[in-house]
Amino acid sequence: MSKSRTPSIKMVADRAGVSVATVSNVLNGKPTVSPDFARRVNDAVLELGYVVDLGASRLRSRKAQLAGVVVPDLTNPMFASFVSTLEHLARLDDYDLVVVSARNNAEEEADRLRKIRSWRPAGLIVIPCDGAFAERLPNGFFAPVVLADRIPDAAGFDLIAVDNGPAAGSIAAHLDKQGYGDCLVLGSSLSITNVRERWEGVRAAAGRMHVEMLEIGIDDANGAQHLEERLRQRPLPSALFSLDHGTTLLTYRTMAEIGLSVPGDLAFASFDEMEWMRLVAPGITAVRQPVEEMAEQAWALLLRRMTGSGGKPVTRRLRCAVEIRGSTPRSPLEEAGNTKLGGEKWKLQDEPYSPD
C-alpha cells in the first residue's frame, strides 16, 4: 500500500459504519461500546491493516509514556545487560523505551541526543561516552535526565554509579599484599571518568608496588600495537590490571597470541567481570559491578522525576564486589600465614543515599 493510502482511523470508521470516536473507544478497550460495533471495528482494522499511531496518541493524551536510553556501545555485555533490565522495568510501569547507541563516539552521541529529542521522551537515561556529557546535551532539552555508570565533569545531574576508586584500590592492595613488585595498569582512556577514578584508586592503594598506566584507546589499532610491544619487552611486569572490559579482552587475546601464560608469566586482573572470566582456567580475578541494581536505581529515580518529583540532584554510589581467583595466586608468604583471599568477596562501603 502506498504512503497516501496508509489506513487511517477515519478509514476504519467508514469501513465499520461507525464514528471515529467509537473506533477510538474500541481500540482503547472501553467497555461502553456495544459488542456489534466492537466486532465491526475489529473486522475493519484487520481488513485494512490499520496500526495505531502511538506518537499521535501520546500527543493527544498529553501523556508521553516513552523514555529514552543512550549507551556507548550495545555490543558491550555490561551495557546490554543494563538496557535489558531497563526494558523489563519500563514495561512493568507501562513505558516504552527507545534505545540508541553512540558507538563510543562523542560526536555521534551528540547527534543521537538531538534526534532522540524529536521523539519527545518523558525522560532519558544516559551512560555517557565520557565526562563532557553536558556539552553534548542539546539546548531546549527539558525532560529529566539520569546519568548512569560514567561520571560527568559538570555537576547538576542525577547520577547512579559505582565506587570505582575503592574497588580498583582493592585489587591493587591485593596484588601488593601478594608481593608483586610492579603492575602495568591498562585502560581505554583517562578521559573516561570511570577509568580515571579507577587509576587514581590503584595509585592510592598500591603500597610498595610500582604502578604505571598505559592507555590503549577503544578499537584503536595503534593502542593494540603499543600493548603488544609492551608485552614483548623484557623484563615483564609481574602483574597486569585492566580497568575496563574491552581492554581486558584485547589484553587476554594478545597474551595468548604471543605465548604468555597466566599466572605462570604474570598475574592478571580485570575491573569488569564477565561470565567468561569464571569459565577460563585459571579464573580471572575481577571486580563485579552491580549492573542490574544500577539499572533499577536509575529507572526508579527517572520515574520519580517523570512523575513530577523535584528536588536537588541525587548521587548514589553502589558497592562492587571483588572476586579473587587463580589468575592472581597467593604468594608463599600468604600461604604460610594462612590468609583467606582466594574466592573472597570484598564488599565496598555504600555512600548514604541522598533523598530529594
Side-chain angles (χ1 to χ4, degrees), residues 293-326:
E293 184 182 0
M294 195 187 309
E296 291 167 357
Q297 293 289 343
W299 178 254
L301 183 52
L302 183 65
L303 189 63
R304 287 165 53 194
R305 298 305 193 201
M306 290 189 300
T307 53
S309 175
K312 295 180 180 179
V314 170
T315 295
R316 190 179 186 191
R317 296 290 189 122
L318 306 180
R319 294 179 293 179
C320 294
V322 176
E323 293 282 358
I324 306 299
R325 300 192 177 98

Side-chain angles (χ1 to χ4, degrees), residues 110-125:
D111 180 67
R112 296 290 87 193
L113 288 167
R114 285 191 297 270
K115 290 181 177 177
I116 206 170
R117 179 177 55 179
S118 66
W119 288 74
R120 300 188 184 182
L124 200 61
I125 293 175

Side-chain angles (χ1 to χ4, degrees), residues 2 33 74 84 101 116 126 175 185 195 245 264 266 295 307 319 352:
S2 67
V33 182
L74 282 169
S84 178
S101 167
I116 206 170
V126 182
L175 293 173
V185 181
V195 175
H245 182 245
L266 68 179
T307 53
R319 294 179 293 179

